[in-house]
Amino acid sequence: MCGIIGYIGKNVEENLFEGLKRLEYRGYDSAGMTVMRNGNFDTYKSVGEVDNLKAKLKFNEEFGYGIAHTRWATHGKITIENCHPHFSSNGNIAIVHNGIIDNFEDLKIQLQAKDKCFVSQTDSEVVAKLLDKLNVNNLRRVLKQIKGSYALVLLSKEKDCLYFAKNKSPLYVGKGDDCVMVASDPSCFAGKIDRYYQLKDGEYGKISLKSLVFYDKNDEIIEKTQESLDFNFISEDKSGYDHFMIKEIYQSRIALENIIAKFQTPELESKLKELKKLMFDRIYLVGCGTAYHAGLIGQSYIRAECNIDTFCEVASEFKEKNFVIDENSLCIFISQSGETADTLSALEYCKQKNAHIIAITNTEYSTIAKKADINFPTCAGQEKAVASTKAYFAQCVMLYLIISYLKGKNNVEKLKLFKNQIDFGDDKALKNLAEIVSKYDKIFFIGRGIDYITAEEASLKLKEITYIFSSALPSGELKHGTLALVDESVLVIVIATDEKLFNKTLNNAYEIKSRGGKLVLFTQLNVDREVAKNFEMVFKVGLTQQDFYPMQIILPLQKLAYFTAVKKGINPDKPRNLAKSVTVE
Ligand code: AGP
C-alpha cells in the first residue's frame, strides 16, 4: 500500500498535493513531500490524512522537481520520523517507496556497521541509505541488493530528472509537454497527461522534461508502448451525501445499469465467446475480503448451475492449499482495485501452472486486469470509501451473468427487472437499528446456505467501519461451540432469504433467544406476527427474483454498518488501520 508520486514542472507542491489526494485510498497514516529547486530541498511531513499536509506546504508556482508519499504503515509506528521521503546520509537524495523491502534488517545492520545512521524504523529508509550519489549505475546496484516489493521514485539535488523502479508494486510513468509524472496510479495524471507507460516488474529508468529512458530487468534499454488514459476523473463530490460510502451504496443501481449496457456490447460478447471456447474441468475463484465473499456467491451460482468442481479460496491462503491446478483449470480472480498483492500473487502462481486466467476487476488498467487472459470489468465506477459496497454488488452481478451465459442463458432481461425492484431499505428503521447496534460490543451474523455468505460480508462491513467485534456463522454451527458466548450482551443478526431454509434458521435463532441473546431478522419473506415477536426488529426488504436475493439483502446491511459508524462518530470512508488498495502480501 502507500501511494507515491513524482512530478517535474511548474506548481510542484500543488500538483503533488492533488496527486496525493487521489492516492489517499492507498493509505492515510501520514503524508510527506520533498521539493527541489535550485539544488535545495524543501520537505514537509504530517501525520494523519493528506489534508493535514496542506497547512504546512509553501505553495510555489515556479518550475521544480518533487516527490511525495501517502503512507499505510507496515514497519514502524505512525510518526513524523517514519513519514516518507527518506534521505541518503549526505541529504542529497530523497526517496519515496511503496512495498516492503524483505531483507531490510540485514541491509540495515550492514549499513549501520558502516556508520550510517537511521532516523526511522521503516524498511524503506535502507534504500536511501544505500545511496550517496544518484545515477543509473548506482540505482541498478541498489536494486540488485534489495529484495521484496517496491515502487520507488528518487530525487537528487544534483539531477534534473527523477529516477524510478518497480517490482511487484504498481508504477506508471507519464510525460506531457510541460510536465512529467511518475505515480502508483495513473489517476494522478488525469487532467495533466493523457498518455502513460505501465512499468513491468524489474523495470526502472529515469525521466526529465527532455528525455525518458527505460531499462528492463536485464539492464537493457527498452522501448515501451504508451497507453492512452481513458480515465473517468474521480469526482471529489459526494453529491449531497455525507460520505462516499453511502453515495456508493446507492450507486449500486447505476453499476447494474452499466453492467446491463456492457453486456450488450460486441466487446463483452466476444470475451464471453472466448471464455465459452475454453476447456476446463475445475473452477477456482480467488479474492480477498469482500471480493472473496463475491467469489463465494459465484461459487454457489456455479455449483447450482454447472456440474463442475468449483472451489473458492482467500487469495492469501490459495497457494498453501495444494489445489490441483493445470491447463484444465479455470481460475477467476476477483478484485475491485485490481492491485491486491495477495490476489496478484495467487494469479501468478496459477499462470505458472498454465491455468486459464479470468479477472473480474473494477479497474481496467490495473495489473490484475492486464495479467488475465480475459478481464471482465465490473463497471461500478471508482469506489472511494474503503469499505467496498457497489463493487461487491457489481462483482456478484457480473459473476451471475457470466455463469448464466456459460449455461446458455441470457438473463439480462431478468436483471433489467431487478434494477427496478432494488430496495435500499428504509432509512428511519435502519437508523433506529444502528442506534441499538452501536450499544453492543459483540455481534453475530448468522444465515444458512447463500445467506451465510451474506452474513460474512455484512459482518466484515460492520467490523471494518464501526470497530465493533463481529463474527459470522452458519446458523447450524452455533450449537457446536459459539453458543457458549451467547448471553444478554450479545446481538445476533439473522439473515434469512431462502424460503426452504427459513424454519431451520428460525430454530437456530430461538436457541439464541433461549439463552438471553437478542435477535434482529433481515428477510424479504412475510413473517407472521408470532414469529416476529421473537425479534427486536424484523427488517423486511421488497420482493425480488430469487437469483438476486444476495445482491438485494446486502444493501440494507451495508447501510446498517454505515449508520452505525456515523452514530459512533467514526468516518466510515476512512476507517482506522485500513487502506483501499492493499499492495503488500
Ligand atoms: C472491503 O470492504 C474491504 N475493505 C476489503 O476486504 C477489500 O475487499 C479487499 O482488500 C480486497 O480488495 P480488492 O477488491 O481491491 O482486491
Side-chain angles (χ1 to χ4, degrees):
M1 329 198 342
C2 303
I4 63 169
I5 178 166
Y7 179 84
I8 304 177
K10 289 192 163 183
N11 291 310
V12 187
E13 291 81 357
E14 188 185 323
N15 284 305
L16 286 177
F17 179 75
E18 213 174 273
L20 283 184
K21 285 295 289 175
R22 291 185 199 171
L23 293 174
E24 198 171 15
Y25 71 90
R26 305 178 71 87
Y28 35 81
D29 287 336
S30 67
M33 183 187 295
T34 294
V35 178
M36 196 268 284
R37 286 190 186 90
N38 308 317
N40 295 316
F41 277 168
D42 283 319
T43 295
Y44 311 93
K45 293 185 176 187
S46 64
V47 166
E49 295 183 12
V50 168
D51 275 335
N52 298 347
L53 193 67
K54 196 172 185 178
K56 301 191 170 183
L57 292 176
K58 288 193 197 110
F59 288 94
N60 184 335
E61 289 178 8
E62 279 172 34
F63 183 87
Y65 307 77
I67 56 176
H69 184 274
T70 179
R71 180 168 187 244
W72 184 81
T74 60
H75 297 69
K77 288 197 169 146
I78 301 163
T79 61
I80 288 287
E81 290 71 35
N82 290 331
C83 272
H84 295 222
H86 294 292
F87 297 92
S88 59
S89 294
N90 58 17
N92 287 344
I93 300 161
I95 70 115
V96 284
H97 167 228
N98 163 218
I100 294 179
I101 308 297
D102 292 337
N103 59 337
F104 87 99
E105 275 160 332
D106 290 346
L107 291 169
K108 195 166 175 175
I109 292 167
Q110 290 166 27
L111 287 160
Q112 281 167 330
K114 290 181 190 162
D115 292 332
K116 300 266 183 185
C117 295
F118 283 76
V119 290
S120 79
Q121 290 86 51
T122 65
D123 54 322
S124 312
E125 195 182 353
V126 294
V127 177
K129 294 295 186 283
L130 282 165
L131 286 159
D132 280 322
K133 204 169 177 58
L134 188 55
N135 55 38
V136 168
N137 279 339
N138 282 347
L139 175 61
R140 195 176 286 149
R141 170 181 56 77
V142 169
L143 297 181
K144 293 204 184 332
Q145 286 172 275
I146 58 176
K147 293 191 173 67
S149 56
Y150 51 80
L152 288 164
V153 189
L154 306 94
L155 174 68
S156 164
K157 284 182 181 173
E158 295 160 352
K159 300 278 177 177
D160 63 353
C161 61
L162 296 173
Y163 290 78
F164 53 83
K166 179 240 182 311
N167 191 45
K168 294 186 188 162
S169 298
L171 198 61
Y172 299 82
V173 176
K175 194 164 178 313
D177 293 335
D178 51 10
C179 71
V180 303
M181 289 181 100
V182 183
S184 303
D185 178 334
S187 69
C188 294
F189 305 159
K192 297 178 189 76
I193 295 170
D194 54 13
R195 294 177 76 71
Y196 67 89
Y197 301 90
Q198 182 169 20
L199 294 192
K200 290 197 177 129
D201 286 346
E203 291 180 349
Y204 61 98
K206 64 174 189 168
I207 186 165
S208 69
L209 272 187
K210 296 194 196 99
S211 75
L212 171 57
V213 188
F214 292 110
Y215 297 87
D216 68 8
K217 57 176 184 234
N218 302 315
D219 306 322
E220 301 287 344
I221 290 184
I222 48 164
E223 292 293 325
K224 285 183 71 72
T225 323
Q226 288 197 79
E227 300 182 39
S228 56
L229 188 68
D230 180 18
F231 190 81
N232 227 337
F233 183 63
I234 331 144
S235 161
E236 288 295 324
D237 177 17
K238 298 193 187 102
S239 315
Y241 292 100
D242 290 338
H243 299 95
F244 283 105
M245 182 176 172
I246 188 73
K247 174 183 167 186
E248 289 163 7
I249 293 171
Y250 282 109
Q251 284 179 328
S252 298
R253 198 196 298 272
I254 303 172
L256 185 52
E257 279 168 13
N258 294 345
I259 294 176
I260 292 170
K262 192 80 179 179
F263 242 77
Q264 288 155 344
T265 60
E267 178 207 346
L268 205 94
E269 202 178 335
S270 81
K271 286 184 180 187
L272 288 164
K273 282 187 179 150
E274 204 182 321
L275 175 60
K276 208 166 185 175
K277 273 193 244 147
L278 299 179
M279 303 293 285
F280 48 85
D281 54 24
R282 279 179 304 277
I283 303 179
Y284 297 94
L285 296 122
V286 188
C288 302
T290 289
Y292 163 65
H293 296 152
L296 289 172
I297 297 282
Q299 173 183 256
S300 56
Y301 285 147
I302 299 171
R303 287 187 176 166
E305 289 284 338
C306 320
N307 186 20
I308 186 161
D309 274 342
T310 305
F311 310 91
C312 182
E313 188 52 76
V314 284
S316 56
E317 286 295 307
F318 188 78
K319 291 188 281 186
E320 318 311 322
K321 291 289 163 88
N322 296 320
F323 287 120
V324 178
I325 297 161
D326 55 25
E327 63 283 0
N328 298 319
S329 312
L330 175 70
C331 300
I332 304 177
F333 295 88
I334 305 157
S335 174
Q336 188 284 129
S337 63
E339 297 294 350
T340 302
D342 290 322
T343 311
L344 192 52
S345 163
L347 184 154
E348 271 155 5
Y349 171 81
C350 295
K351 233 182 169 161
Q352 277 164 17
K353 295 187 176 266
N354 298 319
H356 305 288
I357 311 288
I358 303 300
I360 295 182
T361 68
N362 200 29
T363 321
E364 286 194 70
Y365 58 77
S366 63
T367 313
I368 291 173
K370 294 267 172 68
K371 289 205 169 180
D373 300 324
I374 312 174
N375 175 54
F376 289 96
T378 39
C379 314
Q382 204 201 12
E383 265 188 349
K384 281 187 76 82
V386 164
S388 185
T389 54
K390 61 176 176 174
Y392 173 73
F393 183 91
Q395 286 157 352
C396 295
V397 172
M398 192 44 101
L399 281 160
Y400 168 78
L401 278 177
I402 294 172
I403 294 150
S404 306
Y405 183 91
L406 290 179
K407 283 303 288 176
K409 297 181 195 164
N410 184 340
N411 281 338
V412 169
E413 289 308 315
K414 268 187 159 184
L415 270 181
K416 286 185 185 164
L417 198 61
F418 175 44
K419 194 190 88 190
N420 300 323
Q421 294 169 326
I422 292 179
D423 179 359
F424 288 94
D426 177 54
D427 276 13
K428 196 163 169 248
L430 286 168
K431 281 180 185 166
N432 286 342
L433 183 53
E435 176 117 32
I436 299 173
V437 168
S438 67
K439 295 193 179 112
Y440 282 86
D441 54 17
K442 217 184 301 153
I443 300 208
F444 292 108
F445 288 82
I446 62 167
R448 272 178 188 262
I450 210 156
D451 289 331
Y452 163 59
I453 306 170
T454 304
E456 284 286 4
E457 175 56 11
S459 169
L460 176 66
K461 218 89 299 175
L462 187 80
K463 74 180 103 170
E464 89 177 302
I465 60 167
T466 68
Y467 317 150
I468 297 173
F469 172 85
S470 88
S471 176
L473 288 144
S475 332
E477 266 297 291
L478 267 168
K479 56 188 177 294
H480 298 292
T482 310
L483 208 51
L485 294 177
V486 169
D487 58 21
E488 43 297 320
S489 69
V490 168
L491 181 70
V492 180
I493 297 181
V494 182
I495 301 162
T497 64
D498 189 338
E499 200 159 10
K500 65 180 188 314
L501 300 174
F502 191 66
N503 285 337
K504 270 196 174 180
T505 305
L506 277 190
N507 290 339
N508 301 132
Y510 296 155
E511 289 155 13
I512 294 161
K513 189 160 170 75
S514 315
R515 281 143 185 102
K518 300 280 183 289
L519 298 170
V520 170
L521 177 64
F522 273 72
T523 186
Q524 83 297 338
L525 303 169
N526 288 325
V527 179
D528 71 47
R529 205 172 292 170
E530 282 312 302
V531 171
K533 276 186 192 160
N534 294 291
F535 294 88
E536 303 298 299
M537 183 185 280
V538 174
F539 193 89
K540 201 167 165 297
V541 288
L543 204 59
T544 48
Q545 306 146 86
Q546 187 163 7
D547 291 356
F548 309 123
Y549 285 171
M551 289 84 131
Q552 166 58 79
I553 201 75
I554 194 63
L555 297 169
L557 287 158
Q558 291 170 344
K559 278 174 66 179
L560 175 63
Y562 169 77
F563 287 133
T564 309
V566 172
K567 177 80 207 150
K568 293 189 77 176
I570 295 167
N571 176 358
D573 288 345
K574 289 181 187 162
R576 69 184 181 201
N577 305 339
L578 300 179
K580 183 80 187 150
S581 178
V582 186
T583 56
V584 290
E585 278 185 73

